[in-house]
Amino acid sequence: MGRSQVNYFDGQFSGTFDNTAFKANGRRYGSPALLELFEIREAKADSVSVVFDRQGKLELAYQDSDGKVKTEIFEGVFVRSGYYEVFLRNERKEIPPAFPFIYSRCNINRLRLALSAQGDLIVDNEWNESGNILFLGVGDKGRRQSYFSRRQ
């Protein structure tokens, strides 16, 4: 999606969005629900409220199948390019540090949030769960953009 079609939000933003994506780029990696992108897998909510608190933390509120409202808080930053960025995991280990041919391990899961020009929530998810020992490498990495409709 081009930058002209993206609106960035600040710490004053709040809105409610569908939990199910209506569109996903990078679909070969699947199309998880909004709460699943934030690694909240047990919830069965229809919609999710997105609010930023005074400290710039992201607050997700949803009503679970048992009728109780649950809230999850995530620490992130508003980056210069306008996105709100959250690292759910950000671990990297390399031996030696400059050229990791002996051993390396990555466990990264990053989310970037923005709004479309139509007011829909865009979540850009990039992950790297890989590692290697000498010449043997294993793991998975990828990137997807998911779009969630705003509720009135």
Side-chain angles (χ1 to χ4, degrees):
M1 171 167 273
R3 287 192 171 270
S4 64
Q5 297 174 327
V6 176
N7 293 328
Y8 303 108
F9 39 67
D10 57 17
Q12 305 301 312
F13 176 80
S14 67
T16 302
F17 300 90
D18 288 340
N19 191 31
T20 305
F22 70 85
K23 177 181 172 186
N25 295 335
R27 201 164 194 52
R28 74 177 196 174
Y29 299 114
S31 182
L34 179 57
L35 292 173
E36 289 173 355
L37 286 170
F38 282 90
E39 297 181 343
I40 304 170
R41 293 180 176 86
E42 69 281 352
K44 305 291 183 220
D46 291 335
S47 63
V48 179
S49 294
V50 177
V51 178
F52 293 102
D53 70 10
R54 290 184 180 156
Q55 291 81 31
K57 294 180 183 177
L58 175 67
E59 214 173 274
L60 300 180
Y62 58 94
Q63 187 172 9
D64 209 352
S65 57
D66 60 1
K68 294 182 182 176
V69 175
K70 297 186 179 180
T71 303
E72 300 286 337
I73 298 174
F74 298 90
E75 290 195 38
V77 294
F78 291 98
V79 294
R80 279 189 208 153
S81 58
Y83 292 98
Y84 185 79
E85 185 172 70
V86 176
F87 280 91
L88 300 176
R89 292 186 306 277
N90 192 10
E91 303 167 8
R92 183 182 299 261
K93 187 173 186 176
E94 299 173 334
I95 301 174
F99 187 63
F101 62 90
I102 295 175
Y103 173 82
S104 74
R105 182 177 59 85
C106 291
N107 187 8
I108 299 170
N109 189 2
R110 185 213 68 207
L111 300 172
R112 287 184 177 164
L113 284 72
L115 293 173
S116 72
Q118 295 77 28
D120 299 320
L121 181 66
I122 304 168
V123 180
D124 183 87
N125 177 216
E126 187 170 5
W127 66 93
N128 184 353
E129 298 166 345
S130 63
N132 75 290
I133 297 177
L134 292 177
F135 299 107
L136 301 174
V138 66
D140 179 36
K141 68 180 191 175
R143 185 175 178 185
R144 81 170 70 84
Q145 282 185 340
S146 301
Y147 297 79
F148 299 91
S149 296
R150 187 174 195 150
R151 294 228 172 151
Q152 303 304 332

XYZ file of all heavy atoms in Angstrom, residues 33-109:
633
model
N -6.665 -13.568 12.979
C -7.505 -12.522 13.559
C -6.607 -11.458 14.200
O -5.423 -11.694 14.462
C -8.438 -13.126 14.605
N -7.179 -10.286 14.451
C -6.429 -9.187 15.057
C -5.830 -9.608 16.400
O -4.645 -9.369 16.665
C -7.341 -7.968 15.224
C -6.741 -6.724 15.869
C -5.509 -6.245 15.108
C -7.780 -5.615 15.929
N -6.612 -10.245 17.241
C -6.097 -10.676 18.541
C -5.012 -11.741 18.390
O -4.061 -11.769 19.172
C -7.235 -11.177 19.426
C -8.219 -10.102 19.891
C -9.395 -10.725 20.619
C -7.524 -9.066 20.769
N -5.128 -12.601 17.396
C -4.090 -13.617 17.159
C -2.768 -12.980 16.746
O -1.702 -13.494 17.089
C -4.550 -14.612 16.100
C -5.635 -15.545 16.575
C -6.187 -16.418 15.460
O -5.795 -16.242 14.293
O -7.026 -17.272 15.770
N -2.817 -11.874 16.010
C -1.589 -11.174 15.646
C -0.852 -10.687 16.890
O 0.376 -10.613 16.911
C -1.891 -9.996 14.721
C -2.263 -10.361 13.291
C -2.777 -9.141 12.542
C -1.083 -10.967 12.567
N -1.609 -10.365 17.943
C -1.015 -9.943 19.204
C -0.798 -11.132 20.148
O -0.599 -10.948 21.341
C -1.899 -8.888 19.876
C -1.756 -7.536 19.267
C -2.571 -7.156 18.212
C -0.799 -6.644 19.733
C -2.439 -5.896 17.636
C -0.660 -5.392 19.159
C -1.472 -5.011 18.108
N -0.848 -12.339 19.605
C -0.613 -13.593 20.323
C -1.617 -13.820 21.454
O -1.291 -14.382 22.488
C 0.830 -13.665 20.822
C 1.813 -13.673 19.669
C 3.269 -13.774 20.086
O 3.595 -13.531 21.266
O 4.082 -14.106 19.201
N -2.866 -13.377 21.228
C -3.984 -13.662 22.131
C -4.833 -14.687 21.386
O -5.682 -14.330 20.578
C -4.792 -12.387 22.460
C -3.875 -11.319 23.046
C -5.940 -12.704 23.410
C -4.522 -9.954 23.172
N -4.569 -15.940 21.617
C -5.154 -16.997 20.790
C -6.438 -17.591 21.345
O -7.236 -18.135 20.611
C -4.116 -18.091 20.566
C -2.969 -17.590 19.720
C -1.922 -18.655 19.491
N -0.888 -18.174 18.606
C 0.175 -17.488 18.993
N 0.336 -17.197 20.259
N 1.078 -17.084 18.124
N -6.661 -17.496 22.645
C -7.819 -18.149 23.241
C -9.102 -17.330 23.138
O -10.177 -17.839 23.391
C -7.539 -18.487 24.711
C -7.446 -17.287 25.642
C -6.121 -16.530 25.599
O -5.163 -17.005 24.956
O -6.051 -15.446 26.181
N -9.017 -16.079 22.748
C -10.191 -15.202 22.701
C -11.058 -15.484 21.472
O -10.556 -15.798 20.409
C -9.755 -13.747 22.698
N -12.363 -15.346 21.635
C -13.331 -15.537 20.551
C -14.180 -14.290 20.373
O -15.392 -14.346 20.334
C -14.234 -16.737 20.856
C -13.509 -18.022 21.124
C -12.846 -18.552 19.891
C -12.176 -19.886 20.180
N -10.906 -20.039 19.558
N -13.548 -13.137 20.269
C -14.263 -11.859 20.188
C -14.620 -11.518 18.746
O -13.928 -11.908 17.813
C -13.397 -10.754 20.780
N -15.714 -10.751 18.575
C -16.116 -10.256 17.258
C -15.396 -8.960 16.907
O -15.117 -8.696 15.746
C -17.621 -10.002 17.213
C -18.427 -11.290 17.280
O -17.892 -12.349 16.894
O -19.582 -11.228 17.723
N -15.160 -8.122 17.922
C -14.534 -6.825 17.681
C -13.504 -6.530 18.768
O -13.530 -7.119 19.850
C -15.585 -5.720 17.634
O -16.232 -5.612 18.884
N -12.617 -5.580 18.450
C -11.539 -5.211 19.361
C -11.459 -3.682 19.402
O -11.419 -3.039 18.351
C -10.182 -5.780 18.888
C -9.063 -5.382 19.832
C -10.258 -7.289 18.721
N -11.436 -3.113 20.593
C -11.240 -1.673 20.756
C -9.757 -1.385 20.898
O -9.057 -2.057 21.655
C -11.978 -1.158 21.996
O -13.362 -1.279 21.811
N -9.288 -0.382 20.159
C -7.886 0.012 20.158
C -7.803 1.428 20.718
O -8.433 2.345 20.193
C -7.310 -0.028 18.726
C -5.877 0.452 18.699
C -7.426 -1.425 18.136
N -7.031 1.596 21.788
C -6.891 2.888 22.460
C -5.436 3.051 22.876
O -4.782 2.077 23.247
C -7.787 2.957 23.723
C -7.621 4.270 24.449
C -9.232 2.720 23.382
N -4.937 4.286 22.836
C -3.616 4.589 23.370
C -3.794 5.331 24.687
O -4.583 6.272 24.774
C -2.805 5.447 22.393
C -2.465 4.702 21.137
C -3.173 4.928 19.972
C -1.445 3.768 21.123
C -2.870 4.242 18.817
C -1.137 3.073 19.970
C -1.856 3.304 18.815
N -3.058 4.909 25.722
C -3.157 5.608 27.002
C -2.205 6.805 27.020
O -1.514 7.078 26.043
C -2.929 4.649 28.175
C -1.498 4.152 28.294
O -0.599 4.661 27.594
O -1.273 3.242 29.108
N -2.152 7.509 28.117
C -1.357 8.743 28.217
C 0.143 8.503 28.087
O 0.880 9.404 27.718
C -1.663 9.448 29.526
C -3.050 10.021 29.543
C -3.308 10.798 30.792
N -4.671 11.319 30.738
C -5.361 11.642 31.791
N -4.839 11.531 32.987
N -6.580 12.112 31.652
N 0.589 7.306 28.419
C 2.016 6.983 28.311
C 2.390 6.451 26.931
O 3.527 6.076 26.699
C 2.426 5.952 29.379
C 2.400 6.479 30.797
C 1.005 6.486 31.394
O 0.165 5.653 31.058
N 0.739 7.441 32.265
N 1.431 6.373 26.011
C 1.700 5.873 24.668
C 1.626 4.364 24.551
O 2.046 3.797 23.552
N 1.075 3.700 25.560
C 0.905 2.247 25.493
C -0.378 1.928 24.733
O -1.358 2.665 24.802
C 0.855 1.643 26.891
C 2.161 1.785 27.632
C 2.067 1.186 29.007
C 3.359 1.402 29.766
N 3.263 0.898 31.132
N -0.347 0.812 24.024
C -1.497 0.355 23.249
C -2.370 -0.536 24.125
O -1.876 -1.474 24.754
C -1.016 -0.433 22.028
C -2.074 -1.094 21.173
C -2.934 -0.030 20.487
C -1.424 -1.990 20.145
N -3.664 -0.228 24.145
C -4.607 -0.985 24.941
C -5.620 -1.647 24.010
O -6.292 -0.961 23.236
C -5.327 -0.010 25.877
C -5.681 -0.563 27.210
C -6.235 0.534 28.113
O -5.429 1.212 28.761
O -7.477 0.695 28.123
N -5.724 -2.961 24.076
C -6.722 -3.713 23.312
C -7.779 -4.223 24.281
O -7.444 -4.897 25.264
C -6.079 -4.902 22.593
C -4.980 -4.601 21.588
C -4.470 -5.899 20.983
C -5.458 -3.668 20.502
N -9.036 -3.911 24.024
C -10.134 -4.380 24.868
C -11.106 -5.170 23.996
O -11.397 -4.775 22.871
C -10.846 -3.203 25.532
N -11.591 -6.283 24.535
C -12.507 -7.142 23.794
C -13.394 -7.894 24.767
O -13.051 -8.081 25.933
C -11.732 -8.126 22.906
C -10.768 -9.011 23.670
C -11.146 -10.274 24.106
C -9.484 -8.571 23.968
C -10.272 -11.080 24.806
C -8.600 -9.365 24.669
C -9.004 -10.626 25.087
O -8.129 -11.416 25.805
N -14.560 -8.289 24.275
C -15.487 -9.074 25.079
C -15.329 -10.530 24.665
O -15.545 -10.890 23.504
C -16.921 -8.606 24.874
C -17.893 -9.265 25.809
C -19.279 -8.637 25.717
O -19.550 -7.828 24.847
N -20.155 -9.024 26.615
N -14.959 -11.349 25.601
C -14.740 -12.762 25.321
C -16.072 -13.515 25.290
O -17.118 -12.962 25.623
C -13.805 -13.358 26.381
C -12.988 -14.517 25.842
O -13.242 -14.961 24.706
O -12.082 -14.981 26.553
N -16.035 -14.779 24.903
C -17.255 -15.582 24.752
C -18.003 -15.749 26.078
O -19.201 -16.007 26.077
C -16.918 -16.949 24.168
O -15.965 -17.606 24.983
N -17.317 -15.589 27.203
C -17.989 -15.698 28.502
C -18.650 -14.387 28.933
O -19.228 -14.307 30.011
C -17.018 -16.184 29.574
C -15.830 -15.249 29.776
O -15.766 -14.211 29.097
O -14.970 -15.576 30.609
N -18.570 -13.345 28.085
C -19.228 -12.071 28.352
C -18.399 -11.074 29.130
O -18.828 -9.949 29.346
N -17.213 -11.459 29.555
C -16.355 -10.551 30.325
C -15.493 -9.723 29.383
O -15.000 -10.211 28.379
C -15.450 -11.346 31.263
C -16.202 -12.077 32.345
C -15.257 -12.806 33.256
C -16.041 -13.567 34.316
N -15.169 -14.366 35.165
N -15.330 -8.434 29.725
C -14.453 -7.554 28.955
C -13.035 -7.742 29.463
O -12.778 -7.660 30.667
C -14.894 -6.077 29.095
C -13.904 -5.167 28.401
C -16.289 -5.883 28.534
N -12.134 -8.016 28.538
C -10.723 -8.229 28.886
C -9.887 -7.158 28.210
O -10.204 -6.711 27.115
C -10.271 -9.615 28.455
C -11.012 -10.724 29.171
C -10.463 -12.072 28.840
C -11.240 -13.134 29.607
N -10.738 -14.465 29.320
N -8.814 -6.774 28.868
C -7.925 -5.740 28.350
C -6.491 -6.247 28.369
O -6.058 -6.844 29.355
C -8.027 -4.462 29.213
O -9.382 -4.026 29.224
C -7.154 -3.364 28.654
N -5.791 -6.017 27.278
C -4.366 -6.349 27.180
C -3.621 -5.070 26.837
O -4.079 -4.280 25.998
C -4.116 -7.391 26.090
C -4.826 -8.712 26.304
C -4.208 -9.569 27.402
O -3.016 -9.377 27.715
O -4.936 -10.431 27.926
N -2.467 -4.858 27.447
C -1.675 -3.652 27.229
C -0.331 -4.030 26.622
O 0.314 -4.990 27.070
C -1.485 -2.876 28.545
C -2.854 -2.426 29.063
C -0.555 -1.689 28.346
C -2.832 -1.783 30.419
N 0.081 -3.274 25.599
C 1.343 -3.522 24.900
C 2.170 -2.245 24.863
O 1.629 -1.161 24.638
C 1.072 -4.002 23.464
C 0.331 -5.288 23.407
C -1.057 -5.298 23.385
C 1.009 -6.491 23.399
C -1.749 -6.492 23.349
C 0.316 -7.685 23.367
C -1.062 -7.692 23.340
N 3.456 -2.393 25.088
C 4.360 -1.241 25.006
C 4.954 -1.169 23.619
O 5.450 -2.152 23.088
C 5.467 -1.365 26.045
C 4.943 -1.180 27.448
C 6.044 -0.929 28.452
O 7.007 -0.225 28.117
O 5.908 -1.453 29.560
N 4.885 0.001 23.033
C 5.434 0.230 21.706
C 5.846 1.682 21.580
O 5.859 2.427 22.567
N 6.167 2.079 20.358
C 6.591 3.458 20.107
C 5.969 3.962 18.810
O 5.699 3.191 17.899
C 8.135 3.585 20.014
C 8.789 3.272 21.345
C 8.688 2.699 18.933
N 5.755 5.267 18.767
C 5.372 5.920 17.525
C 6.678 6.219 16.796
O 7.480 7.026 17.274
C 4.592 7.213 17.799
C 3.235 6.980 18.381
C 3.019 7.071 19.735
C 2.167 6.669 17.551
C 1.763 6.857 20.285
C 0.904 6.446 18.081
C 0.703 6.538 19.444
N 6.922 5.572 15.660
C 8.176 5.776 14.934
C 8.045 6.968 13.993
O 6.948 7.405 13.662
C 8.601 4.502 14.165
C 8.945 3.382 15.136
C 7.544 4.050 13.218
N 9.192 7.491 13.575
C 9.227 8.704 12.744
C 8.390 8.591 11.480
O 7.814 9.552 11.024
C 10.664 9.021 12.340
C 11.407 9.723 13.400
C 12.732 10.196 12.868
N 13.648 10.246 13.993
C 14.930 10.122 13.904
N 15.499 9.923 12.737
N 15.685 10.191 14.963
N 8.350 7.408 10.896
C 7.599 7.261 9.648
C 6.089 7.285 9.875
O 5.331 7.260 8.921
C 8.013 5.972 8.934
O 7.786 4.857 9.776
N 5.630 7.313 11.142
C 4.214 7.472 11.428
C 3.506 6.244 11.957
O 2.385 6.332 12.422
N 4.127 5.098 11.901
C 3.508 3.877 12.413
C 3.624 3.818 13.932
O 4.459 4.473 14.538
C 4.238 2.638 11.873
C 4.078 2.402 10.409
C 5.046 2.810 9.505
C 2.972 1.740 9.922
C 4.914 2.577 8.148
C 2.824 1.502 8.565
C 3.796 1.921 7.700
O 3.651 1.685 6.369
N 2.783 2.984 14.533
C 2.981 2.588 15.921
C 3.575 1.193 15.858
O 3.014 0.304 15.221
C 1.658 2.587 16.696
C 1.862 2.294 18.164
C 2.310 3.285 19.025
C 1.621 1.035 18.682
C 2.509 3.027 20.366
C 1.815 0.765 20.018
C 2.268 1.760 20.860
O 2.471 1.497 22.191
N 4.706 0.989 16.489
C 5.450 -0.265 16.359
C 5.531 -0.977 17.701
O 5.883 -0.378 18.714
C 6.846 0.033 15.835
C 7.675 -1.178 15.544
C 8.969 -0.801 14.841
O 9.840 -0.196 15.505
O 9.091 -1.098 13.647
N 5.208 -2.276 17.690
C 5.253 -3.125 18.873
C 6.107 -4.347 18.546
O 5.878 -5.008 17.529
C 3.835 -3.606 19.278
C 3.904 -4.573 20.446
C 2.929 -2.447 19.593
N 7.074 -4.645 19.398
C 7.824 -5.889 19.286
C 7.288 -6.839 20.344
O 7.435 -6.602 21.535
C 9.329 -5.670 19.511
C 10.042 -5.143 18.310
C 10.185 -3.789 18.104
C 10.563 -6.029 17.367
C 10.839 -3.302 16.990
C 11.215 -5.549 16.247
C 11.356 -4.187 16.057
N 6.639 -7.925 19.903
C 6.170 -8.942 20.840
C 7.343 -9.788 21.307
O 7.386 -10.233 22.448
C 5.092 -9.808 20.192
C 3.851 -9.046 19.727
C 2.895 -9.975 19.014
C 3.161 -8.359 20.885
N 8.292 -10.024 20.419
C 9.550 -10.715 20.726
C 10.643 -10.043 19.911
O 10.434 -9.683 18.753
C 9.471 -12.197 20.358
C 8.519 -12.998 21.212
C 8.587 -14.484 20.886
N 8.388 -14.794 19.485
C 7.202 -14.910 18.883
N 6.116 -14.716 19.567
N 7.111 -15.212 17.619
N 11.809 -9.883 20.505
C 12.928 -9.284 19.789
C 14.237 -9.850 20.355
O 14.949 -9.182 21.102
C 12.899 -7.756 19.896
C 13.868 -7.101 18.945
O 14.443 -7.753 18.078
N 14.058 -5.813 19.100
N 14.513 -11.100 20.016
C 15.709 -11.784 20.522
C 16.589 -12.187 19.345
O 16.131 -12.769 18.374
C 15.310 -13.042 21.293
C 14.375 -12.791 22.444
C 13.762 -14.071 22.987
O 14.177 -15.177 22.574
O 12.846 -13.959 23.809
N 17.865 -11.858 19.468
C 18.836 -12.247 18.444
C 20.139 -12.597 19.143
O 20.636 -11.836 19.949
C 19.064 -11.103 17.462
C 20.012 -11.442 16.331
C 20.237 -10.251 15.425
N 19.007 -9.801 14.807
C 18.647 -10.118 13.562
N 19.422 -10.856 12.816
N 17.511 -9.666 13.069
N 20.676 -13.770 18.800
C 21.942 -14.213 19.371
C 22.814 -14.715 18.238
O 22.367 -15.528 17.422
C 21.704 -15.318 20.400
C 22.941 -15.724 21.150
C 22.613 -16.691 22.257
C 23.847 -16.961 23.071
N 23.553 -17.809 24.215
N 24.056 -14.207 18.178
C 24.968 -14.581 17.092
C 26.364 -14.824 17.656
O 26.842 -14.056 18.480
C 25.033 -13.471 16.046
C 23.702 -13.187 15.401
C 23.736 -11.975 14.481
O 24.562 -11.075 14.673
O 22.909 -11.953 13.547
N 27.003 -15.896 17.203
C 28.386 -16.199 17.580
C 29.168 -16.489 16.317
O 28.829 -17.430 15.603
C 28.452 -17.410 18.534
C 27.637 -17.132 19.787
C 29.892 -17.728 18.887
C 27.523 -18.305 20.716
N 30.209 -15.783 16.001
C 30.619 -14.482 16.530
C 29.657 -13.397 16.061
O 28.951 -13.577 15.076
C 32.018 -14.279 15.945
C 32.041 -15.095 14.696
C 31.115 -16.258 14.945
N 29.654 -12.235 16.740
C 28.667 -11.190 16.441
C 28.731 -10.602 15.028
O 27.708 -10.331 14.438
C 28.969 -10.100 17.473
C 29.719 -10.791 18.543
C 30.449 -11.925 17.912
N 29.900 -10.426 14.473
C 30.014 -9.761 13.170
C 29.583 -10.654 12.013
O 28.897 -10.219 11.102
C 31.443 -9.269 12.957
N 29.979 -11.907 12.036
C 29.661 -12.833 10.949
C 29.254 -14.167 11.563
O 30.099 -15.019 11.839
C 30.874 -12.989 10.027
C 30.583 -13.779 8.795
C 29.659 -13.332 7.868
C 31.221 -14.983 8.562
C 29.380 -14.065 6.733
C 30.949 -15.719 7.428
C 30.031 -15.254 6.507
N 27.949 -14.370 11.817
C 27.490 -15.508 12.623
C 27.473 -16.836 11.862
O 26.420 -17.388 11.591
C 26.090 -15.082 13.027
C 25.635 -14.232 11.896
C 26.857 -13.501 11.413
N 28.639 -17.366 11.510
C 28.658 -18.632 10.775
C 28.709 -19.834 11.707
O 28.426 -20.946 11.294
C 29.823 -18.680 9.778
C 31.175 -18.603 10.417
C 31.835 -19.750 10.793
C 31.775 -17.375 10.636
C 33.075 -19.680 11.389
C 33.013 -17.296 11.222
C 33.671 -18.454 11.606
N 29.053 -19.641 12.976
C 29.107 -20.765 13.907
C 27.720 -21.050 14.476
O 27.241 -22.176 14.450
C 30.117 -20.491 15.044
C 31.526 -20.391 14.456
C 30.054 -21.584 16.099
C 32.587 -20.009 15.454
N 27.063 -19.986 14.988
C 25.758 -20.164 15.607
C 24.985 -18.849 15.554
O 25.541 -17.785 15.812
C 25.922 -20.591 17.081
C 24.626 -20.639 17.852
C 23.802 -21.750 17.766
C 24.221 -19.576 18.644
C 22.609 -21.797 18.466
C 23.036 -19.603 19.345
C 22.235 -20.724 19.249
O 21.052 -20.768 19.938
N 23.707 -18.925 15.224
C 22.828 -17.759 15.333
C 21.402 -18.232 15.589
O 21.014 -19.327 15.188
C 22.878 -16.888 14.080
O 22.197 -17.501 13.021
N 20.653 -17.371 16.277
C 19.249 -17.669 16.558
C 18.478 -16.363 16.586
O 18.887 -15.396 17.223
C 19.110 -18.380 17.900
C 17.686 -18.768 18.236
C 17.594 -19.543 19.532
N 18.109 -18.815 20.668
C 17.419 -17.944 21.398
N 16.163 -17.681 21.085
N 17.951 -17.338 22.427
N 17.356 -16.320 15.882
C 16.471 -15.151 15.855
C 15.084 -15.568 16.306
O 14.586 -16.622 15.910
C 16.355 -14.568 14.447
S 17.836 -13.804 13.847
N 14.470 -14.721 17.123
C 13.090 -14.922 17.522
C 12.459 -13.525 17.599
O 12.453 -12.898 18.656
C 13.000 -15.647 18.862
C 11.578 -16.025 19.216
O 10.668 -15.887 18.404
N 11.373 -16.490 20.426
N 11.976 -13.057 16.459
C 11.467 -11.695 16.335
C 10.031 -11.733 15.822
O 9.726 -12.461 14.881
C 12.351 -10.864 15.377
C 13.778 -10.790 15.917
C 11.774 -9.476 15.170
C 14.771 -10.210 14.947
N 9.166 -10.958 16.454
C 7.790 -10.791 15.990
C 7.429 -9.320 16.168
O 7.302 -8.846 17.294
C 6.821 -11.675 16.761
C 5.437 -11.667 16.146
O 5.197 -11.043 15.124
N 4.506 -12.369 16.770
